[in-house]
Amino acid sequence: MHRRGVGAGAIAKKKLAEAKYKERGNVLAEDQLVQMSKQLEMFKTNLEEFASKHKQEIRKNPQFRVQFQDMCATIGVDPLASGKGFWSEMLGVGDFYYELGVQIVEVCLALKHQNGGLITLAELHQQVLKGRGKLAQDVSQDDIIRAIKKLKVLGSGFGIIPVGGSYLVQSVPAELNMDHTVVLQLAEKKSYVTVSEIRSSLNWEKERAIHVLEHLLKEGLAWIDSQAGGEPQYWLPALFSELYSQQITPDESMVGAP
């Protein structure tokens, strides 16, 4: 006995129901989008009112500035995106970070002959604060990072490299891949590394370790001590704690620089 086929009327009824569900879904989606847009606009308005009320704290307090910028990020607002417009006129944050970027460039150039173009974030922060003087607006390491990200428009020279629990700031257009970064992390504690240490710690072949170290030497990011006992040691001047103990200012460092 043959099963009775589904009639044309049932098919049409099913399609009509599906169309109604789809239409209802579109209406709900549009309503949700409208509500979200209204909430976003209200949040933005409240954010502008908050900025107007607390602009002095945002300018002067680094921690408060970080929290404010995190609030901005939640709704896709970037106060640093332009030197013009509401945020720049109200807070002056755009100009603040561009001026900070100029100071970062000056410090990095002044110390390049010492560290080869790599400097710890902590040392860069210290040198920037020293150059700004006691009466200048306070600057945090977070401010330094944000300013460096803006410096990327100058090309591939500036970048931030995670090293253990801290960061190195790169100010030269050297091509550093993951191998180079891993070796920098390995050298963090002692400020130097050897081929044997790389091979034992990373399980690399000797040729791979030598290739990475030779690239760092070529770019001026590492120095070699061939007179060290045992085997040559490859030192990373950016990690020298002794190198900066002299408390050299950028202007002083430029004297006698090549």
Side-chain angles (χ1 to χ4, degrees):
M1 188 174 181
H2 293 289
R3 176 182 258 178
R4 186 176 180 181
V6 180
I11 295 176
K13 186 177 181 180
K14 182 180 179 182
K15 289 185 176 180
L16 180 62
E18 290 177 349
K20 287 183 177 180
Y21 282 128
K22 184 177 181 180
E23 181 181 358
R24 181 59 180 166
N26 290 337
V27 171
L28 288 174
E30 290 177 1
D31 288 344
Q32 290 177 348
L33 185 60
V34 170
Q35 290 300 321
M36 288 177 62
S37 298
K38 288 181 179 179
Q39 291 176 357
L40 196 62
E41 192 62 34
M42 184 179 298
F43 191 10
K44 186 176 180 180
T45 300
N46 292 338
L47 190 63
E48 291 177 355
E49 292 177 357
F50 178 87
S52 299
K53 183 178 180 181
H54 299 282
K55 61 181 179 180
Q56 293 301 326
E57 292 177 85
I58 294 171
R59 287 176 179 174
K60 296 180 179 179
N61 190 320
Q63 286 73 32
F64 200 89
R65 192 158 55 243
V66 171
Q67 294 173 355
F68 171 73
Q69 289 179 126
D70 288 341
M71 289 170 58
C72 291
T74 61
I75 60 169
V77 173
D78 184 3
L80 313 183
S82 172
K84 299 179 180 180
F86 170 82
W87 299 106
S88 178
E89 293 175 2
M90 174 58 64
L91 304 176
V93 289
D95 293 338
F96 167 75
Y97 282 102
Y98 287 117
E99 290 171 3
L100 180 58
V102 172
Q103 294 173 327
I104 290 171
V105 171
E106 291 175 345
V107 170
C108 289
L109 287 177
L111 299 177
K112 181 180 176 182
H113 69 288
Q114 293 180 344
N115 56 35
L118 278 180
I119 184 172
T120 63
L121 178 62
E123 176 61 23
L124 177 58
H125 181 220
Q126 179 183 345
Q127 294 291 340
V128 167
L129 289 178
K130 190 185 303 180
R132 290 173 66 84
K134 296 181 179 180
L135 300 179
Q137 184 174 345
D138 197 10
V139 170
S140 68
Q141 290 192 9
D142 181 81
D143 290 327
I144 298 286
I145 291 174
R146 292 178 187 274
I148 290 172
K149 290 179 179 179
K150 294 301 172 183
L151 288 174
K152 287 185 177 180
V153 299
L154 299 177
S156 60
F158 277 86
I160 299 174
I161 305 171
V163 178
S166 59
Y167 296 94
L168 283 176
V169 176
Q170 177 184 351
S171 60
V172 291
E175 293 295 332
L176 299 182
N177 58 30
M178 186 58 67
D179 279 3
H180 304 118
T181 302
V182 171
V183 170
L184 290 173
Q185 292 173 343
L186 187 62
E188 179 188 13
K189 292 183 179 180
K190 299 188 298 181
S191 297
Y192 75 87
V193 70
T194 65
V195 173
S196 297
E197 288 172 345
I198 294 175
R199 294 185 65 191
S200 62
S201 298
L202 304 177
N203 197 27
W204 286 4
E205 294 294 331
K206 182 178 180 180
E207 291 75 15
R208 183 178 180 183
I210 292 176
H211 177 73
V212 170
L213 292 171
E214 286 182 346
H215 179 79
L216 294 176
L217 286 173
K218 178 184 176 183
E219 296 292 344
L221 304 178
W223 298 345
I224 185 171
D225 182 3
S226 301
Q227 298 179 349
E231 64 177 312
Q233 296 174 347
Y234 294 81
W235 288 81
L236 283 302
L239 302 175
F240 291 176
S241 58
E242 295 84 6
L243 187 65
Y244 301 111
S245 61
Q246 303 172 16
Q247 303 295 318
I248 300 173
T249 64
D251 290 338
E252 292 170 342
S253 298
M254 288 299 289
V255 179

